[in-house]
Amino acid sequence: MIILRSQTLAVLSVIVLCATSVNAQSWLQALIKSTNGTLDVRSFPGEQCLRQCDETQPRICYFSWTMEHYHVMGPACRDCAKGNHTDCYHPACITADGVERGVMSLNRHIPGPAINVCHNDLIVVDITNAMAGTAAAIHWHGLHQRATPYMDGVPFITQCPIGFGNTFRYAFLATEPGTQFYHSHSGHHKVNGHYGALIVREPRNADPNGDLYHYDTPAHVIVGSDWMHIDGEMFMPGLPSAGGIMPVNLLINGRGKFHDREKNETTNVPLEVYTVRRGARFRFRFINAASHVCPLQLQIEDHIMEVIASDSFHLQPRKVDTLISTSGERYDFVLEANGPKDTYWIRLRALGPCAELELEQFAVLRYTTGPKENDAFPTTLPPPYDQQFPNVATANHPNATCGRPEFGDYCITDFQAYDSDESVANGTPDHQLTFGFVNSLVTFQNMFETHPYEHFMNIHGSVMLQGAINNLSLSYPPFPLLTQPEQIDESMFCDENHRPARCADRRLCTCIHRVKIELGDLVELYILDLTPSVNDLNHPFHLHGYQMFVMELGQDRRVPVTYEIAQQIARQRLLQRNTVALPPRKDTISIPSRGYARVRFRANNPGFWLMHCHYEWHTAVGMALVLQVGETTDMVKPPTGFPKCNSYTPAVDELLKEVL
């Protein structure tokens, strides 16, 4: 499927009509008029959009990417593994952790190419799918797509996936400044390599923390991810002999080393290197692009991190030495380069269910200059796993007691924004919804006899799970709801009050779980963990198209154990809630283990928006739902010629007429 070059103006026209920025709108209108219908976006290379930002001068930023089945340590790496360091840096060489494996790449990079633009720039990305037998789509995580909801990149919700051999043109305004990222929303492509940084900078005077740092450059973006040595699809539905669905390593900006404990060998590939200048302050942007269920802990040897933003939203600063995040979250912090040594370790560690695996990865922070290769192959060994860095103040410890920062553990609710929307933060909600999530055990009979072909994951042995919210496990429609609303039949949807007849004998039901909300309403969500056992698993929930005001986090390790009890507790807490003056805003919120989050948003962005656990396997097995905001008549229409997809099941007699 393809949006052709001739349709570029149609896309731009829709963006102009819906643009929320007056400057961006008038600029695009003038540009379209001046080109007289001959605009070629390829003449605006995206690399030139990295600049000092000025609100009055937006640009077009064009990128061309190819999705490809590729490999780590393939022939492009030549003698990298044998000690030829120059070969490790060939543009087509992906080193990862030095262990050969097949991957999915974008332009033969992992992470994919970085996007660096300014607020209200127009981002145009042509993505060609060269992965035979695979369809895919890319989600622009953190951008609300108010003018272009059909560019959100969720297969069968906002678009058809891009088929093999086809090119799809994404075009949208960079409307939310801050640290964002992109990733595939298809299958397990993200854990296989489809992810990357998307940084939307704003003028320094628009940042309330702008005076805290001297430098904000692409060289100080940290993309943390987990890594396996086999395709993610190997664990869908799973392997009975596996000990769970777990990573074997971590990567920092796609680099790292792997130590084989059985052979006592370590791969000879480069670490990532970050360069700072002594006496200066640098803005670092940390992106958690992990796929598994393990929080990532970031520490920088002998340095303090002053946290100033989360999920692109400004925060009043707090200083910590340990920063913990879950999949999909982003944190910005200021590092003051005041160390006496020339090099330091940046340490990334997997926590929670990964703790017993002792997974960690290192990068190098250096005060020296010269080629990065000089410091990417350290001659000294990093500290052993049990030699921890000092830990006095932690942001987002998995088992922190929220609301008691005097103990040195800060939850996101212990941070404050600089401003707020009083009507959202302390208004009276129009909707108060409880979303209780769980990975439910499913039986042999259901999976293989009475209800075959439903999604599930096999953790180990005979243990099989389906993800669910309010006892409903999301299945996807055969067409994208947003861009083909004429095909919608209301009977196709389910919610907790309307379950299909085929689920009458089942507590857990697989169906198209849709929650409908009126446009403009104030919504309060109570998202809680119904896991029957206590563990260190924190589920990150991401809401597409919106920012969430985080009002409250809490934990109760006794109950709830059922959805009915959870609803009772939710109603009690909603009645007892306290007002919050300057609640932080996020698009991805980590729910405390066996705990809850209370969040709010104003439903002012019409469309079909996915809300889901950001752990890749949990989304795949149904821990998700679709929020419909407004009626389809309220929603932005896609451009003329937007690609279609659907099932094909004509009547047999009609087929016979054609055949005979």
Side-chain angles (χ1 to χ4, degrees):
M1 57 198 69
I2 180 168
I3 297 179
L4 299 172
R5 175 185 164 192
S6 62
Q7 293 173 307
T8 301
L9 289 177
V11 175
L12 293 179
S13 298
V14 174
I15 295 173
V16 166
L17 290 172
C18 302
T20 56
S21 167
V22 175
N23 288 336
Q25 180 176 338
S26 58
W27 161 72
L28 282 169
Q29 288 173 332
L31 180 62
I32 292 172
K33 184 176 180 180
S34 66
T35 56
N36 196 29
T38 61
L39 178 68
D40 185 356
V41 294
R42 293 175 296 183
S43 62
F44 300 91
E47 292 73 20
Q48 295 181 7
C49 290
L50 175 61
R51 65 197 189 277
Q52 193 74 27
C53 293
D54 183 341
E55 285 279 18
T56 64
Q57 296 178 344
R59 295 184 183 179
I60 293 177
C61 311
Y62 173 75
F63 303 87
S64 179
W65 298 347
T66 298
M67 296 175 170
E68 190 177 16
H69 289 300
Y70 201 57
H71 40 214
V72 167
M73 299 303 291
C77 298
R78 308 178 87 174
D79 291 329
C80 169
K82 298 179 181 179
N84 187 328
H85 295 172
T86 301
D87 284 348
C88 300
Y89 287 92
H90 187 281
C93 171
I94 299 176
T95 57
D97 66 356
V99 176
E100 291 182 12
R101 61 153 291 188
V103 296
M104 292 178 171
S105 69
L106 289 164
N107 286 9
R108 299 183 173 180
H109 287 85
I110 295 179
I115 294 178
N116 287 278
V117 299
C118 289
H119 187 207
N120 284 326
D121 281 352
L122 175 66
I123 300 173
V124 182
V125 188
D126 282 351
I127 297 185
T128 299
N129 183 357
M131 303 185 300
T134 304
I138 296 293
H139 168 54
W140 315 95
H141 188 120
L143 296 183
H144 298 169
Q145 303 289 0
R146 185 176 299 275
T148 50
Y150 45 83
M151 295 294 176
D152 194 45
V154 184
F156 301 108
I157 303 298
T158 64
Q159 71 171 95
C160 303
I162 310 165
F164 170 62
N166 294 331
T167 300
F168 184 90
R169 173 164 291 170
Y170 288 97
F172 49 88
L173 291 171
T175 47
E176 282 71 40
T179 302
Q180 322 293 11
F181 79 122
Y182 64 84
H183 60 83
S184 175
H185 228 296
S186 301
H188 299 286
H189 300 180
K190 179 160 74 81
V191 77
N192 291 337
H194 279 177
Y195 61 88
L198 196 174
I199 309 301
V200 180
R201 290 182 171 81
E202 60 187 341
R204 183 67 68 91
N205 60 13
D207 181 0
N209 294 311
D211 60 346
L212 295 181
Y213 53 90
H214 301 109
Y215 299 101
D216 173 16
T217 77
H220 301 102
V221 176
I222 302 174
V223 182
S225 60
D226 41 26
W227 195 239
M228 297 191 295
H229 292 157
I230 56 176
D231 288 349
E233 286 75 10
M234 286 289 288
F235 291 103
M236 181 50 65
L239 303 172
S241 60
I245 304 174
M246 304 297 280
V248 297
N249 206 354
L250 305 177
L251 300 177
I252 299 175
N253 283 13
R255 297 189 183 278
K257 295 181 183 292
F258 177 71
H259 180 70
D260 189 324
R261 296 177 184 177
E262 293 184 2
K263 298 180 180 179
N264 196 27
E265 295 177 352
T266 302
T267 53
N268 186 22
V269 288
L271 299 178
E272 183 70 340
V273 176
Y274 296 90
T275 304
V276 295
R277 183 169 60 83
R278 188 168 279 108
R281 295 188 299 273
F282 294 81
R283 179 176 184 157
F284 277 74
R285 299 170 181 266
F286 175 58
I287 298 167
N288 187 327
S291 296
H292 291 83
V293 297
C294 307
L296 297 183
Q297 172 185 284
L298 180 69
Q299 295 177 308
I300 302 178
E301 182 184 15
D302 294 340
H303 287 77
I304 296 297
M305 295 173 281
E306 189 170 15
V307 177
I308 61 170
S310 180
D311 294 1
S312 80
F313 299 107
H314 302 301
L315 295 172
Q316 296 185 35
R318 280 192 182 272
K319 293 183 178 181
V320 300
D321 53 41
T322 304
L323 174 60
I324 297 173
S325 67
T326 50
S327 173
E329 292 188 289
R330 294 90 66 208
Y331 279 91
D332 295 23
F333 61 86
V334 175
L335 179 141
E336 184 174 0
N338 56 5
K341 298 191 303 182
D342 286 338
T343 60
Y344 295 86
W345 295 111
I346 296 176
R347 191 174 203 170
L348 190 68
R349 176 174 288 192
L351 304 180
C354 285
E356 62 183 26
L357 302 177
E358 297 189 354
L359 300 182
E360 65 179 359
Q361 192 57 261
F362 291 88
V364 176
L365 178 74
R366 67 172 186 169
Y367 286 67
T368 57
T369 57
K372 285 189 175 183
E373 300 93 286
N374 295 348
D375 296 289
F377 296 86
T379 56
T380 59
L381 293 175
Y385 188 87
D386 57 1
Q387 184 179 322
Q388 300 188 33
F389 289 163
N391 178 203
V392 176
T394 301
N396 300 320
H397 189 283
N399 291 315
T401 302
C402 301
R404 303 177 70 184
E406 64 271 16
F407 290 95
D409 287 336
Y410 303 111
C411 298
I412 187 61
T413 46
D414 295 318
F415 288 83
Q416 286 191 311
Y418 278 96
D419 55 16
S420 188
D421 183 335
E422 182 69 18
S423 69
V424 175
N426 293 310
T428 301
D430 299 295
H431 291 282
Q432 293 178 323
L433 304 174
T434 302
F435 291 159
F437 64 86
V438 69
N439 278 320
S440 290
L441 285 168
V442 291
T443 66
F444 178 94
Q445 181 182 18
N446 277 343
M447 286 300 97
F448 305 117
E449 294 178 357
T450 59
H451 299 281
Y453 305 112
E454 289 189 359
H455 51 240
F456 70 95
M457 56 180 173
N458 180 200
I459 300 300
H460 57 80
S462 61
V463 177
M464 298 175 291
L465 302 174
Q466 276 188 332
I469 299 175
N470 293 359
N471 292 322
L472 301 173
S473 188
L474 179 69
S475 60
Y476 288 83
F479 58 87
L481 300 171
L482 179 77
T483 50
Q484 297 182 41
E486 68 280 0
Q487 301 205 53
I488 291 176
D489 179 348
E490 283 295 316
S491 66
M492 67 191 292
F493 298 121
C494 66
D495 60 35
E496 60 182 303
N497 298 315
H498 302 88
R499 293 160 56 97
R502 57 183 166 77
C503 293
D505 63 335
R506 303 178 65 189
R507 181 174 181 83
L508 181 65
C509 180
T510 300
C511 53
I512 305 173
H513 187 184
R514 183 214 46 187
V515 175
K516 195 171 183 180
I517 297 170
E518 292 186 23
L519 184 62
D521 279 358
L522 175 58
V523 181
E524 182 164 88
L525 301 181
Y526 184 79
I527 312 168
L528 72 161
D529 183 355
L530 296 180
T531 306
S533 60
V534 176
N535 54 38
D536 291 327
L537 189 55
N538 298 72
H539 295 254
F541 268 79
H542 174 48
L543 175 58
H544 291 225
Y546 282 94
Q547 61 180 0
M548 294 180 284
F549 287 67
V550 186
M551 309 301 293
E552 184 184 2
L553 293 178
Q555 193 173 48
D556 191 332
R557 288 177 172 268
R558 299 165 300 163
V559 290
V561 293
T562 68
Y563 177 60
E564 290 73 20
I565 295 176
Q567 283 186 309
Q568 295 174 16
I569 294 174
R571 284 192 289 269
Q572 293 172 4
R573 293 196 185 281
L574 292 173
L575 291 172
Q576 298 168 357
R577 64 185 182 274
N578 298 317
T579 58
V580 182
L582 296 168
R585 282 161 275 183
K586 288 175 65 66
D587 56 54
T588 308
I589 178 69
S590 183
I591 313 300
S593 174
R594 200 63 177 278
Y596 66 92
R598 182 168 63 88
V599 301
R600 288 182 165 197
F601 65 94
R602 177 72 66 183
N604 55 11
N605 190 9
F608 289 92
W609 303 107
L610 194 66
M611 183 173 187
H612 62 103
C613 177
H614 213 265
Y615 291 141
E616 198 152 322
W617 280 270
H618 292 187
T619 299
V621 296
M623 193 180 287
L625 56 78
V626 178
L627 283 177
Q628 178 183 338
V629 177
E631 302 297 333
T632 56
T633 52
D634 299 319
M635 300 176 189
V636 178
K637 301 298 184 290
T640 303
F642 199 83
K644 303 280 187 179
C645 62
N646 206 343
S647 300
Y648 177 62
T649 56
V652 174
D653 55 348
E654 293 299 323
L655 273 180
L656 287 175
K657 289 179 183 178
E658 296 295 326
V659 173
L660 299 176

